[in-house]
Amino acid sequence: MGIKDLLRFMKPYVEPIHIKNYAGKRLILIHFSKSAAYSCSMELCLDSDSEKKLRYIEYFMHRVNLLRYYKVTPVVVFDGGNVPCKAATEKERNKKRHAYRELAMNKLKEGNVNAASELFQRAVNITPVMAHKLIQTLKSENIEFVVAPYEADAQLAYLSHLETEKGGIAAVITEDSDLIAYGCPAVIFKMDREGNGERIELEKVFSAVSCKPSFRNFDMKLFTGMCVLAGCDFLPSVPGIGVARAHALVSKYRNIDRILSVLKFEKGDQMLEDYAKSFNDALAVFQHARIYDINTKELKHMKPLPENFLESLNENLDFLGPYP
């Protein structure tokens, strides 16, 4: 889902880009997401035996081969398990997918294939079986891939901050605005079949002098805090707090604890009882989620955990991704 309306809010910072600009770069990562399955969503939902069911592989490999054509080295990242604080979101999504599938089946029985197709696109889900089949294709093409232990977004953010010689990457291609909240330095959205896309670079966002909305007084923690306030997969927003209001609060107070106090005073009767704790947990996931270290081949946190953070949680870190 991403952060609602974040990309629209940050439109002044979006610049057109073509993938050829990254020719010779060591790595660009592609997030395997639901959009790959739209062309065969009906067949996937119906578990058809038709070859069309595998069109998502063709769709995805076109993007991979497009990068290779322009001399860019692709790496694909897959989601692993869900972090515990995303359980409510996943439950709601599964409920909606089931409802859309029921509606699609009804339209199909009525003979309205076009309407059914649109509903199946909303009902389709990326499954481990689909990921496995794509991985087999990637292996046969000698394409590097990583399966994240939990959120692919956290894995992408971690890789985007590595040095090039250690597997670092130049940009992330995705449709998920969460990547900005995770702190990926360069994110490319809406890449078409010809390689055109839209890019946001965080360094330019934080350094822009005259661009509005301004982020000059933000650091990465405040920016991520703004995203959590606006509502994310880990925590719904407080009623009446969208991305514009969240930006205004962060711009005014520049302190997360102060903002939470103001919200409690102004909207306490509309907030979850444990909103402050849930907020800090969500913020921590964006900063410290568990990822796979491609160099040591071990699980670690995206960023090191501060000592006071460990003490405040009594070392209960399962919400960042349980350690096996």
Side-chain angles (χ1 to χ4, degrees):
M1 178 187 74
I3 313 300
K4 186 179 179 182
D5 295 329
L6 180 62
L7 294 183
R8 187 185 309 165
F9 187 69
M10 298 189 68
K11 189 174 181 180
Y13 297 96
V14 172
E15 58 181 349
I17 187 74
H18 191 279
I19 209 66
K20 66 184 178 184
N21 291 26
Y22 287 94
K25 298 293 184 181
R26 185 174 182 276
L27 297 174
I28 288 243
L29 287 108
I30 306 178
H31 183 188
F32 179 48
S33 64
K34 184 176 174 178
S35 58
Y38 285 161
S39 63
C40 53
S41 57
M42 183 184 300
E43 289 73 18
L44 288 168
C45 287
L46 297 176
D47 197 21
S48 165
D49 292 329
S50 168
E51 286 295 315
K52 188 179 178 183
K53 187 169 70 172
L54 300 179
R55 279 189 180 176
Y56 71 92
I57 295 178
E58 295 176 17
Y59 170 93
F60 201 83
M61 290 307 297
H62 170 81
R63 293 164 73 84
V64 168
N65 290 326
L66 185 66
L67 297 186
R68 293 200 289 185
Y69 176 81
Y70 285 108
K71 312 301 182 188
V72 179
T73 304
V75 172
V76 181
V77 176
F78 295 85
D79 277 310
N82 291 321
V83 288
C85 60
K86 198 175 178 179
T89 297
E90 284 303 314
K91 183 178 180 180
E92 182 62 24
R93 287 178 180 173
N94 285 332
K95 183 179 177 181
K96 287 182 178 179
R97 281 193 288 263
H98 180 75
Y100 282 128
R101 189 182 187 282
E102 290 296 313
L103 290 171
M105 292 299 293
N106 289 335
K107 291 296 181 183
L108 201 58
K109 289 175 183 177
E110 294 170 4
N112 192 340
V113 178
N114 288 335
S117 295
E118 291 182 10
L119 290 165
F120 277 127
Q121 287 184 1
R122 298 184 181 188
V124 74
N125 187 32
I126 297 296
T127 66
V129 172
M130 292 170 63
H132 176 73
K133 288 181 178 179
L134 178 56
I135 285 172
Q136 299 312 305
T137 302
L138 296 175
K139 284 181 176 179
S140 70
E141 294 284 331
N142 201 28
I143 301 296
E144 187 179 346
F145 66 90
V146 179
V147 179
Y150 295 102
E151 293 287 300
D153 295 346
Q155 188 74 33
L156 290 162
Y158 156 72
L159 292 168
S160 71
H161 285 94
L162 283 182
E163 298 173 1
T164 302
E165 58 271 19
K166 293 183 178 180
I169 56 100
V172 175
I173 300 170
T174 185
E175 298 304 323
D176 193 342
S177 60
D178 277 349
L179 269 297
I180 309 176
Y182 273 101
C184 287
V187 186
I188 298 171
F189 301 96
K190 301 179 181 179
M191 191 181 84
D192 63 20
R193 293 182 63 84
E194 283 71 48
N196 300 294
E198 298 179 352
R199 180 177 65 186
I200 291 178
E201 293 182 297
L202 278 178
E203 183 179 354
K204 293 180 180 179
V205 171
F206 292 136
S207 63
V209 176
S210 57
C211 205
K212 301 292 182 181
S214 174
F215 294 93
R216 291 206 73 196
N217 293 317
F218 282 51
D219 58 17
M220 195 60 234
K221 182 178 179 179
L222 288 176
F223 184 90
T224 303
M226 178 196 78
C227 294
V228 176
L229 284 171
C232 64
D233 286 350
F234 312 129
L235 183 67
S237 65
V238 175
I241 305 295
V243 66
R245 177 64 176 143
H247 175 268
L249 286 167
V250 175
S251 297
K252 182 176 181 179
Y253 296 107
R254 301 183 205 168
N255 180 283
I256 296 298
D257 291 334
R258 181 84 185 278
I259 294 167
L260 292 175
S261 296
V262 170
L263 279 179
K264 186 173 180 61
F265 177 76
E266 294 182 352
K267 293 179 174 287
D269 59 336
Q270 302 176 60
M271 295 169 65
L272 297 172
E273 187 175 342
D274 62 346
Y275 181 83
K277 179 186 181 302
S278 298
F279 180 96
N280 284 312
D281 285 355
L283 188 62
V285 173
F286 278 112
Q287 297 175 315
H288 306 293
R290 281 197 170 101
I291 51 84
Y292 176 70
D293 188 321
I294 61 173
N295 294 299
T296 65
K297 314 297 183 187
E298 296 176 343
L299 292 187
K300 61 183 283 187
H301 292 284
M302 193 170 70
K303 295 178 183 177
L305 295 166
E307 192 64 35
N308 61 341
F309 181 77
L310 286 169
E311 292 173 359
S312 67
L313 294 169
N314 295 319
E315 299 190 6
N316 180 13
L317 303 175
D318 280 357
F319 72 96
L320 298 174
Y323 194 83

